[in-house]
Amino acid sequence: MAEAGFTVVRLAEFAWSKIEPRPGDYDFEWLDRAIDILAAHGIQVVLGTPTASPPPWLMARDPTLFRVLLDGRRVAFGLRREYCPNHPGYRRAAQDIVSCMAEHYGQHPNVIGWQIDNEFGDRCYCPICTTAFHAWLQERYGTLDEVNQRWGTVFWSHHYTAWDQIPAPSSTAWPPNPGLGLDYSRFCSDSYVTFQQQQIDILREKSPGRFITHNFMGFHYDQINYFDLAARLDLVAWDNYPSFQWNMDAPLDPTLPALSHDTMRSLKQQPFWVMEQQAGPAGWDMLGPTPRPGKLRLWAYQAIAHGADGVVFFRWRTATVGAEQNWHGILDHHGRPGRRYEEIRRMGAEIKTLSRYLEAAQPAARVGILLSYDSRFSLQLQRYNPNLDYTAIVREIYRVLHRLHVTVDLVAPDGDLSPYRLVIAPVLHVVSETVAENLRRFAEQGGVLLVTARSGVKDDANRVVQQPLPGLLAELCGIEIEEYDSLPPGATNSVRFVSPWLANGQTAEAHTWCEVLQPNGAEVLAEYQQDYYAGRPAITMNHLGAGHVIYCGALGGHDLFQPLLRSLLETAGVAPVAVGSEDLEIVERRQGDRSLLFVLNHHDEAKDFALQSDYINLLDGAPVKGTVQIGPNDLVILAGQNNHEG
Ligand code: GAL
């Protein structure tokens, strides 16, 4: 490890039964020894609290410790994450093991940080959670009358007269009342936030000066409000597996890790870590393809390009036992260094010289995409159309910007929008007064705002608003939605751009969802071409103070969003970090006017990149002029000549 340039190792995140083999009987000797050996080689340690994998003796105590699934079945022992996050007995046991570890290692000079639990997730629907949900509701709404009113329990005779009549959602009563469903999702998210907080409190007290993190699951994980989970942590970390058993039938898509990196950086607007970076072919019962030579290094650099200040590979040596025998580490089962080790060792040597350039430099976004967990949760209950997929729509918009080499943040809808010139609100389905006000302020102060179809439909109790859509955003957008049309899978319409502002005369396909807009002050940018609403507005632009609000009533793909986003970037005055070369990923970390340009080639053949000026390639110190060729699965890191001197 030391030879390959490793400086940090994460340990013990699933080691509960090894640390406490029997209740109250602790054994730290083996871990002390591991930490000492690492210290002797200059390698620091992040310790995981082991609460994601309770030992059998604990779970044998009480069947109610196990989580209950939406269909009412209880999880059995045998994997991990079996526990109910609200179970008082589990919380106590978790506090005990964390206190004990923190007492033993809290001041250890070689322990620099803590990872709490491992990949929080999975909703629990057990009776203990249901009772905790009632308390959560009392806190939020005060009275049962208010709950009845906000949820509209008059419908189908659901009026509650006692808190304990309120059920958890169940697949046998699906879909639930939308108010109940959304609040239950929020409650489940909060349950992990409070579970985590109990550990944060212990670690803050017993292990001062060490950072506290958790390993998140990137953009695509949609069951926890990650802004909330990140709020009280010092650092966001996440687990990055671009290619494994579960996506082996899809083409490798570097946009997906890019989107997750940007999301993770945005949660705290801070540098993040990758706590698990793919180290080899990966799977449980099956195996994804072996990452081609160069990929592991390239994926790790991609993280750094997007703002990671730490990358920890998972795992060091492939396990010969357990459910993850197929999840390959840097070393194979036999433990001898091979091709993957050499690739990572090369990177270790490079990082030694690179770190001084990376310090303090971060991606600086002028474009924000709103990431609304309320909208995501709401759409999990009512999707409207088989193809209306919140995650896929955000991804589609992100992909266009990523290919244009535009730096993007993912922002909470009530977050600070002042750093941005362009804000995109994809399917902002649930809109509170606060969020509407935030968007209005942004546009009035000169921002450019894009709002897409299915926005402003629900209030924050998941009721459909009573005014014409897009509800609280209608005035801001200068339109009302006259009608909407949910298109059957495979059916399409098309829109024609009718304004010089927007690729005049071009057409684009619309699918999934078409809204017929009635301008109310806004100008028309595009019209539908087919069906009974042919000739009616599909995209509009409203001018508001110094800003512009664009409403896109049709959903579609690249040919719809690419011209639209290009015009928006221009109007907003946002320059991409590079122009052209759309088959390369180009990302910038900057500090003041110093810029580091990462140019990544994710293809299996070499690509040329035409330079706008002269640079130094920091990876080999060589000056580069004119055109630089980037080998397959390789990259260059370019610094302007004067940056390099500095
Ligand atoms: C992550 C997890 C690791 C390991 C890896 C491979 O989700 O945090 O512990 O299980 O996946 O499955």
Side-chain angles (χ1 to χ4, degrees):
M1 283 177 183
E3 209 177 85
F6 283 89
T7 54
V8 173
V9 163
R10 180 193 59 171
L11 287 176
E13 76 278 13
F14 295 113
W16 195 335
S17 74
K18 182 98 180 123
I19 294 171
E20 193 183 4
R22 278 160 298 277
D25 175 5
Y26 297 99
D27 175 10
F28 289 114
E29 218 182 289
W30 62 277
L31 190 51
D32 293 347
R33 196 171 147 250
I35 296 175
D36 288 348
I37 294 172
L38 290 165
H41 290 83
I43 298 173
Q44 297 179 307
V45 168
V46 176
L47 280 180
T49 70
T51 50
S53 56
W57 59 254
L58 171 58
M59 298 310 274
R61 273 183 189 163
D62 179 355
T64 67
L65 289 161
F66 288 88
R67 215 158 32 85
V68 168
L69 306 173
L70 181 66
D71 65 8
R73 281 179 309 151
R74 243 183 227 283
V75 164
F77 189 84
L79 282 175
R80 55 180 176 180
R81 303 217 55 76
E82 294 104 337
Y83 68 86
C84 159
N86 284 302
H87 195 290
Y90 196 78
R91 286 198 171 195
R92 246 187 332 269
Q95 284 171 313
D96 289 348
I97 183 76
V98 173
S99 298
C100 202
M101 276 184 86
E103 250 151 48
H104 194 87
Y105 293 113
Q107 320 270 349
H108 194 298
N110 205 41
V111 172
I112 57 166
W114 294 89
Q115 171 194 300
I116 293 181
D117 205 281
N118 193 87
E119 296 187 340
F120 281 128
D122 298 320
R123 294 172 179 151
C124 176
Y125 301 85
C126 79
I128 288 171
C129 284
T130 310
T131 304
F133 178 48
H134 300 151
W136 184 94
L137 289 169
Q138 281 183 43
E139 174 88 24
R140 184 177 175 91
Y141 294 107
T143 65
L144 206 49
D145 277 352
E146 185 66 14
V147 174
N148 280 312
Q149 202 276 329
R150 298 299 302 279
W151 289 359
T153 53
V154 63
F155 189 77
W156 280 349
S157 182
H158 286 182
H159 183 90
Y160 298 107
T161 53
W163 292 101
D164 61 9
Q165 294 162 1
I166 299 177
S170 156
S171 59
T172 57
W174 194 263
N177 171 296
L180 181 147
L182 176 57
D183 276 335
Y184 199 81
S185 302
R186 288 170 171 150
F187 156 76
C188 291
S189 175
D190 284 357
S191 299
Y192 284 109
V193 175
T194 53
F195 182 85
Q196 175 179 260
Q197 190 58 41
Q198 293 192 324
Q199 298 195 26
I200 294 179
D201 292 343
I202 296 168
L203 294 170
R204 290 250 182 266
E205 188 202 317
K206 297 187 193 290
S207 189
R210 272 71 178 170
F211 68 78
I212 302 176
T213 187
H214 169 72
N215 53 339
F216 291 61
M217 289 184 275
F219 168 79
H220 295 88
Y221 189 70
D222 60 3
Q223 313 271 300
I224 293 182
N225 183 327
Y226 270 176
F227 292 104
D228 295 343
L229 194 66
R232 307 282 293 276
L233 295 170
D234 300 311
L235 175 75
V236 167
W238 82 285
D239 298 343
N240 180 25
Y241 297 104
S243 165
F244 50 23
Q245 154 181 2
W246 297 284
N247 63 3
M248 65 189 292
D249 52 350
L252 264 182
D253 183 355
T255 314
L256 306 184
L259 170 55
S260 282
H261 291 313
D262 286 345
T263 307
M264 298 299 107
R265 185 191 67 244
S266 301
L267 293 177
K268 291 188 81 67
Q269 295 290 347
Q270 274 176 22
F272 61 97
W273 279 29
V274 175
M275 196 56 94
E276 296 180 19
Q277 175 67 41
Q278 185 161 354
W284 280 12
D285 55 327
M286 286 184 282
L287 207 49
T290 295
R292 296 304 185 248
K295 284 270 190 241
L296 299 178
R297 171 175 168 269
L298 184 65
W299 288 337
Y301 270 118
Q302 183 186 29
I304 293 172
H306 284 267
D309 275 0
V311 177
V312 180
F313 288 88
F314 185 88
R315 52 191 295 143
W316 170 243
R317 178 174 174 180
T318 315
T320 56
V321 294
E324 292 192 346
Q325 287 169 318
N326 284 330
W327 206 279
H328 285 69
I330 297 170
L331 308 183
D332 284 323
H333 301 93
H334 53 59
R336 292 198 203 131
R339 179 180 68 77
R340 300 195 301 278
Y341 174 84
E342 288 307 326
E343 192 172 314
I344 289 164
R345 181 164 83 150
R346 172 182 171 195
M347 187 174 179
E350 290 165 346
I351 291 292
K352 282 200 180 110
T353 54
L354 279 177
S355 12
R356 72 186 177 101
Y357 297 101
L358 296 170
E359 261 166 33
Q362 275 292 306
R366 311 304 302 274
V367 177
I369 298 180
L370 299 187
L371 172 54
S372 163
Y373 283 96
D374 275 353
S375 300
R376 238 175 169 179
F377 294 164
S378 171
L379 290 159
Q380 286 163 2
L381 301 161
Q382 294 160 303
R383 186 172 178 159
Y384 302 100
N385 183 292
N387 290 326
L388 206 159
D389 176 346
Y390 181 90
T391 299
I393 295 165
V394 174
R395 208 158 55 200
E396 189 65 46
I397 289 171
Y398 178 86
R399 180 175 280 117
V400 170
L401 294 164
H402 184 239
R403 277 212 210 152
L404 293 173
H405 316 308
V406 173
T407 311
V408 175
D409 280 350
L410 284 290
V411 195
D414 59 354
D416 176 12
L417 304 181
S418 63
Y420 310 109
R421 307 184 74 131
L422 171 61
V423 166
I424 300 162
V427 205
L428 191 62
H429 200 56
V430 177
V431 174
S432 65
E433 302 268 356
T434 321
V435 167
E437 188 43 41
N438 201 28
L439 296 182
R440 162 175 294 281
R441 207 175 319 119
F442 170 74
E444 274 173 0
Q445 289 171 357
V448 177
L449 174 67
L450 168 65
V451 179
T452 82
R454 286 278 84 188
S455 292
V457 178
K458 300 287 192 99
D459 71 8
D460 58 4
N462 217 8
R463 293 165 70 116
V464 178
V465 297
Q466 298 211 23
Q467 62 268 59
L469 298 182
L472 291 176
L473 306 177
E475 201 192 319
L476 188 67
C477 297
I479 53 149
E480 285 181 3
I481 290 158
E482 214 171 80
E483 275 200 276
Y484 41 71
D485 187 15
S486 174
L487 272 52
T492 57
N493 200 314
S494 59
V495 301
R496 187 164 166 276
F497 303 137
V498 295
S499 153
W501 182 86
L502 177 62
N504 201 0
Q506 273 187 41
T507 58
E509 188 180 278
H511 56 68
T512 309
W513 194 267
C514 293
E515 293 173 351
V516 183
L517 314 184
Q518 173 67 52
N520 205 353
E523 98 187 58
V524 177
L525 300 179
E527 296 171 350
Y528 292 103
Q529 288 197 294
Q530 289 159 40
D531 222 312
Y532 75 98
Y533 43 94
R536 303 301 315 282
I539 307 177
T540 56
M541 169 151 63
N542 198 28
H543 306 279
L544 197 90
H548 309 273
V549 184
I550 290 81
Y551 190 89
C552 180
L555 291 180
H558 190 259
D559 59 335
L560 175 70
F561 286 119
Q562 207 252 20
L564 186 56
L565 287 161
R566 268 181 187 277
S567 298
L568 286 161
L569 290 166
E570 203 172 304
T571 300
V574 176
V577 302
V579 177
S581 301
E582 287 197 13
D583 52 354
L584 293 170
E585 181 179 18
I586 308 175
V587 190
E588 186 189 50
R589 279 176 76 142
R590 63 180 310 134
Q591 181 195 23
D593 53 8
R594 285 164 165 224
S595 149
L596 295 182
L597 213 53
F598 290 72
V599 187
L600 303 104
N601 176 13
H602 293 279
H603 303 274
D604 290 327
E605 65 277 355
K607 298 275 172 189
D608 285 339
F609 177 60
L611 305 166
Q612 306 292 313
S613 61
D614 296 350
Y615 289 98
I616 303 282
N617 177 11
L618 294 182
L619 285 170
D620 59 9
V624 279
K625 287 182 194 313
T627 298
V628 58
Q629 190 179 71
I630 305 167
N633 297 309
D634 202 354
L635 78 156
V636 291
I637 305 176
L638 303 175
Q641 307 262 8
N642 51 344
N643 288 341
H644 183 242
E645 297 313 316

